[in-house]
Amino acid sequence: DGGITQSPKYLFRKEGQNVTLSCEQNLNHDAMYWYRQDPGQGLRLIYYSQIVNDFQKGDIAEGYSVSREKKESFPLTVTSAQKNPTAFYLCASSIQPPESNQPQHFGDGTRLSIL
Amino acid sequence: AQKITQTQPGMFVQEKEAVTLDCTYDTSDQSYGLFWYKQPSSGEMIFLIYQGSYDEQNATEGRYSLNFQKARKSANLVISASQLGDSAMYFCAMRDGLFPFRGAQKLVFGQGTRLTINP
């Protein structure tokens, strides 16, 4: 089955530590996205990538970094500069160029907590 | 800047009743798309329905329909004959632009409505 796989499901970070969240898709989508969701809130865009080796900052990129070396993979690194990283992180992908009625497809998310 | 407002933090509905979840939006774009997603307690986001700004008819998908009132900038989700499995968070989201040249589809999400279906 085609879909988006995020790992790990739960992740704990120590003070001063960088952690990397994995996102892999086999939908053959060109565009990929990372969102952050805080409790009781909507999703906010962290980074997005339209094609391999290219990515743009979203609304809350500070303290995060990404890479896009392969079409299938879009890992997110939460750096020590992100002072409040506890949140639920969702990865998504979409057809590029986007057809008007085609939605973004989401993974199951990674829940990050501070130790 | 685009903005989505969902004014109902929580809704409680009896099973088999219809329910309307409110969504209003603000944009200066003439072309845009509106999406509704369902998020169960497990966390994944499930796409429900889409409405384009130039669509003349309200979108429908099975038990889901969209009450689109462009002049009022509202896109309310209607769920008919609610089921216990409909209990979840529901998010309204907007994408600016309808055409491919606008690039990746950046979505703006509302804060969501938690729907609880009572037996």
Side-chain angles (χ1 to χ4, degrees), chain B residues 13-31:
Chain B
V13 174
Q14 287 299 119
E15 190 179 8
K16 298 181 184 178
E17 289 183 352
V19 57
T20 297
L21 304 180
D22 294 342
C23 172
T24 58
Y25 59 90
D26 188 19
T27 181
S28 57
D29 289 336
Q30 296 300 310
S31 300

Side-chain angles (χ1 to χ4, degrees), chain A residues 2 11 22 27-28 36 57 60 67 77 84 93 95 101 115:
Chain A
L11 187 59
S22 171
L27 298 168
N28 200 33
R36 169 179 171 141
K57 293 181 179 180
I60 55 165
S67 63
T77 296
N84 184 23
S93 69
I95 293 172
N101 63 345
L115 283 177

Side-chain angles (χ1 to χ4, degrees), chain B residues 27-33 52-54 70 73 97-99 102:
Chain B
T27 181
S28 57
D29 289 336
Q30 296 300 310
S31 300
Y32 50 87
S53 58
Y54 290 121
K70 193 171 180 178
K73 292 189 175 179
L98 288 177
F99 303 108
R102 292 298 292 270

Side-chain angles (χ1 to χ4, degrees), chain A residues 55-90:
Chain A
F55 47 83
Q56 286 81 41
K57 293 181 179 180
D59 300 320
I60 55 165
E62 185 174 352
Y64 300 97
S65 66
V66 293
S67 63
R68 187 84 187 278
E69 298 177 0
K70 299 187 300 182
K71 185 177 182 178
E72 302 80 16
S73 179
F74 191 40
L76 173 74
T77 296
V78 184
T79 74
S80 57
Q82 172 49 245
K83 298 307 179 187
N84 184 23
T86 298
F88 188 55
Y89 291 87
L90 284 157

Side-chain angles (χ1 to χ4, degrees), chain B residues 1-5 23-27 34 73 94 108-110:
Chain B
Q2 294 179 317
K3 186 177 180 181
I4 295 283
T5 301
C23 172
T24 58
Y25 59 90
D26 188 19
T27 181
L34 294 155
K73 292 189 175 179
M94 179 168 59
V108 174
F109 285 81

Side-chain angles (χ1 to χ4, degrees), chain A residues 9 31 33 35 37 40-45 48-50 57-59 88 90 94-109 111, chain B residues 33 35 37 39 41-48 50-52 55 89 91 95 97-112 114:
Chain A
K9 195 171 180 65
Y33 313 80
Y35 292 92
Q37 184 180 24
Q41 302 295 314
L43 279 65
R44 291 183 292 168
L45 183 64
Y48 66 101
S49 168
Q50 298 182 45
K57 293 181 179 180
D59 300 320
F88 188 55
L90 284 157
S94 69
I95 293 172
Q96 177 71 5
E99 298 294 330
S100 62
N101 63 345
Q102 291 300 308
Q104 291 183 14
H105 298 258
F106 285 82
D108 290 343
R111 201 167 296 279
Chain B
F35 298 82
Y37 284 87
Q39 186 179 42
S41 57
S42 51
E44 74 270 30
M45 297 286 283
I46 301 167
F47 166 69
L48 297 178
Y50 168 84
Q51 181 83 42
D55 293 343
M89 284 289 288
F91 291 97
R95 179 198 63 219
L98 288 177
F99 303 108
F101 68 84
R102 292 298 292 270
Q105 46 164 292
K106 293 173 63 178
L107 294 179
V108 174
F109 285 81
Q111 292 196 313
R114 181 171 297 283

